[in-house]
Amino acid sequence: MGLDLFDVERLLLTEAAEPPLPPQDATARDRVWDTAVKANPVLFDGPAVACGELERTGPGVLRLSWVRVTYRHYALRRVPGATALPSLFVNVVQPTDDGRVLAARMSPSTAAPGRWQLPGGSVEPPQDGAVLDEAALACQAARELAEELGVAASAEDLELCVVTRGESGSVGLTYLARPFPRQRCALTSPLQRQPSAARAANPISTPSCRWAHRTTWPVWTARTRMAASA
């Protein structure tokens, strides 16, 4: 699986309009979405942010255009000949003070049940009058960390360490949190609550935390610091 890594010191965000969708693609999208909802009633067509374009404009500077969509938009991935915009998500590397990394487990209702991954989720569009900027993205990452692992961190404690782009074009913003005391992990329970409307399409269930091998965290930071600048 190919993965592009981008070192980033500054992220420039601009909103763009959703590209026009041919009527036949819209009809097919709705049909796919309705079928998915019947199979999994927890799905909810909440607001989300898709990635329009991602380009480097200078050393350590990325420009990212984003588009307001709903989760229904991604049903286009299952429509032959249609084009869905890449998704945009945030996640957090939460190390412990003994060099491990906390992970969350996908719930049975997701596309990858049982998979362990970094805590995170889809980016949500700003409310009326608000802006989507670097500070807002860090706040969303901190909220995901609290909701999925029960670890409280302020947005100011998170550092955007790498931007990733997968084979499907989906763009991830990975933040690095301050080390968390290992002895507190067993006493910290993830928040037990229903997923919010905006994240119901990708609900996460984390009945327990998991610690990746202690070498995972140093290797990750080494890779992000050496990410290609091209």
Side-chain angles (χ1 to χ4, degrees):
M1 180 179 67
L3 182 68
D4 295 326
L5 301 178
F6 300 91
D7 271 334
V8 58
E9 297 177 4
R10 187 181 179 194
L11 190 62
L12 306 176
L13 294 118
T14 57
E15 184 174 3
E18 183 177 1
L21 188 64
Q24 64 272 20
D25 286 351
T27 299
R29 175 204 60 194
D30 293 343
R31 184 166 55 249
V32 170
W33 176 259
D34 292 342
T35 299
V37 171
K38 289 179 181 178
N40 184 5
V42 74
L43 296 179
F44 183 83
D45 194 20
V49 167
C51 181
E53 294 182 348
L54 178 68
E55 63 176 350
R56 187 177 294 281
T57 60
V61 180
L62 290 178
R63 185 183 71 82
L64 188 156
S65 65
W66 60 274
V67 179
R68 295 174 189 263
V69 297
T70 66
Y71 286 115
R72 178 187 300 263
H73 174 84
Y74 298 114
L76 287 169
R77 294 170 176 171
R78 298 185 181 182
V79 176
T83 300
L85 293 171
S87 60
L88 180 64
F89 64 92
V90 294
N91 56 20
V92 182
V93 176
Q94 176 59 73
T96 60
D97 56 7
D98 66 349
R100 305 187 186 206
V101 173
L102 292 176
R105 194 174 193 180
M106 299 288 283
S107 75
S109 59
T110 62
R115 182 177 70 189
W116 292 94
Q117 63 180 30
L118 296 175
S122 299
V123 173
E124 299 176 12
Q127 300 294 326
D128 292 341
V131 296
L132 185 64
D133 55 15
E134 290 184 274
L137 289 169
C139 286
Q140 293 198 32
R143 184 187 63 207
E144 295 288 350
L145 183 63
E147 291 183 348
E148 296 185 8
L149 293 184
V151 177
S154 66
E156 292 75 17
D157 291 335
L158 302 182
E159 174 191 358
L160 179 60
C161 59
V162 69
V163 174
T164 63
R165 181 168 55 196
E167 282 186 324
S168 65
S170 295
V171 173
L173 310 177
T174 299
Y175 292 81
L176 176 63
R178 294 180 180 179
F180 188 77
R182 170 66 175 82
Q183 63 271 22
R184 289 178 55 190
C185 292
L187 302 177
T188 302
S189 299
L191 301 183
Q192 299 299 315
R193 49 173 267 172
Q194 293 294 323
S196 67
R199 285 179 299 284
N202 294 287
I204 297 292
S205 174
T206 55
S208 62
C209 297
R210 181 175 181 177
W211 299 273
H213 190 272
R214 65 177 62 248
T215 60
T216 302
W217 143 240
V219 169
W220 175 270
T221 55
R223 288 186 63 197
T224 59
R225 297 307 176 194
M226 295 188 295
S229 59

